[in-house]
Amino acid sequence: MELQKPRGTRDFLFDEMKERKFVENTMRKVFETYGYQEIKTPIFEDLALFTLKSGEGIIEEIYHFQDKGGRDLALRPELTAPVARIYLNQLQKAPRPIKMYYFGSCFRYERPQAGRFRQFWQFGCELIGGKSPDCEAEIIALAAHCLEELKLEDYQIHLGNLGILRGILTQDGVSADQQDQVMAIIDKGEVKELEKLLEELKLNEESKNILLELIGLQGHREVIPVVQELVKNYPDATKSMEELEELLVMLEAFGFTGYTVNLGIARGLDYYTGTVFEIYVEGLGAQKQISGGGTYNLIEIFGGEKVESTGFAFGFDRVMESLKIQKTQPALKSRVEVFVAPISTETKLKAFEIAQKLRKNNITTDVELVGRKLKKILSFADNSGAKFVVLVGARDLEEGKITLKDMESGDQEQIPIKNITSVLLDRIKTSE
């Protein structure tokens, strides 16, 4: 029987894990610079947590099962709902705004294809109880800051405001459920299907034309007057337009001007209430979106009070793919800096002692564990990327010394054992 990994999953070996860890740590550092604290949630949750948020239809798209106690559970398909549960369970009395971030794997039972896997990773954050558009401006600036630190090029941040579209529909008597249908179609970019639905909803001709024009608008600050003129007879839409304009001013205060106003962004989820944004990277094909988020009121759906929240998540795997395509992957560090090699069996214990001393001084160190001859030890050490080899010989030990070999130059020198740590720390620092 040949054992294979499950369909839609991947194995990550050494170099790839180093690259992923570098990106993870870079994002983690930026998030914490903005005052966010990390949380972890269970990989599986009650199934009801996700059906309450997304409806019963999501059951067909996720991994769900009954445990031995007959409880209906599901592997988490995303991390926003677990964050809302954490807030309801433990953080309702915490001072606001609450800033938290997460990194973890999620699971979807869907057909694997380019850029889509059944197990994937998300790195994101939620800001609960803040004020819009202040929170939205900071979160969008945070997302851009992460990509700048990773030196990712040619990314585009598109942002819109659902309140503008919903304001028009509400004024024409379109129900909340019907509005959700409209948003889902806009999210798919199906203009013909949208026109058909608006006809079925008997939206008046002026509102229909304005809506269709709005979702096709893209640009910078120059689109604002155009939108203002289009929605001037819709008070709720006008109010949302003013919020969007304020957001753009705040983004510039945060030092970010590389946005595109795109009122065709709908996110397709009914709990989003105002600002929404998505980040695209060309070159990824149909899966060019690497991030998405916005302002939502999910807490209320789960039975809590009405609390405005803003959040977003990077599709971590798509960020990795973007970096790979752009050839901006980080330079990988060697597996170890030092390799300790006993020349003979009788010096093996002393070699272990030296290796452990170096490790306790934060020098990445490997030691010969197989009993190879010196020539093969040096070949292995070279393949491991070690900058230096500590040769531990019986005659040197009698004199209280070891031989240090520089693997790049090939030079060797004897140094006192008592000085080995300080000498290597100095040499490693010089070689960086």
Side-chain angles (χ1 to χ4, degrees), residues 20 26 61 193 212 248 257 274 276 288 333 390 405 421:
R20 291 174 72 89
T26 299
E61 302 172 16
E193 191 178 340
L212 291 170
L248 302 186
T257 57
V276 287
K288 67 177 182 178
K333 288 183 67 176
V390 175
K405 181 179 179 68
T421 300

Side-chain angles (χ1 to χ4, degrees), residues 78-114:
E78 44 84 22
L79 282 153
T80 303
V83 168
R85 178 190 57 73
I86 279 185
Y87 171 80
L88 286 167
N89 290 166
Q90 302 180 59
L91 294 172
Q92 292 191 64
K93 294 182 180 179
R96 300 177 192 169
I98 304 167
K99 290 182 167 185
M100 58 183 93
Y101 78 90
Y102 51 78
F103 176 61
S105 55
C106 302
F107 305 84
R108 289 260 181 179
Y109 190 78
E110 57 186 2
R111 184 174 64 85
Q113 53 187 296

Side-chain angles (χ1 to χ4, degrees), residues 250-273:
M250 289 185 176
L251 279 173
E252 290 173 11
F254 275 99
F256 178 67
T257 57
Y259 57 80
T260 296
V261 176
N262 180 354
L263 298 182
I265 295 177
R267 299 293 294 145
L269 297 169
D270 55 15
Y271 56 84
Y272 282 106
T273 57

Side-chain angles (χ1 to χ4, degrees), residues 407-424:
M407 294 298 286
E408 184 176 351
S409 67
D411 295 340
Q412 294 186 183
E413 63 178 307
Q414 287 189 322
I415 59 172
I417 290 178
K418 63 180 181 180
N419 295 342
I420 182 65
T421 300
S422 59
V423 168
L424 279 170

Side-chain angles (χ1 to χ4, degrees), residues 12-21 332 335:
F12 303 110
L13 293 181
F14 312 122
D15 285 352
E16 194 167 3
M17 276 308 302
K18 285 180 184 177
E19 292 167 355
R20 291 174 72 89
K21 202 70 180 175
L332 299 180
R335 182 172 70 85

Side-chain angles (χ1 to χ4, degrees), residues 21 24 28 37-45 76 79 82-83 85-86 90-91 100-105 121-124:
K21 202 70 180 175
E24 174 192 341
R28 192 183 301 278
Q37 299 182 86
E38 187 174 14
I39 59 166
K40 286 286 185 186
T41 67
I43 287 179
F44 60 90
E45 298 265 7
R76 62 190 183 199
L79 282 153
V83 168
R85 178 190 57 73
I86 279 185
Q90 302 180 59
L91 294 172
M100 58 183 93
Y101 78 90
Y102 51 78
F103 176 61
S105 55
W121 277 258
Q122 288 187 346
F123 201 125

Side-chain angles (χ1 to χ4, degrees), residues 169-184:
L169 295 169
T170 299
Q171 190 161 317
D172 270 21
V174 179
S175 71
D177 287 344
Q178 291 169 333
Q179 288 184 31
D180 294 342
Q181 293 178 43
V182 172
M183 295 304 158

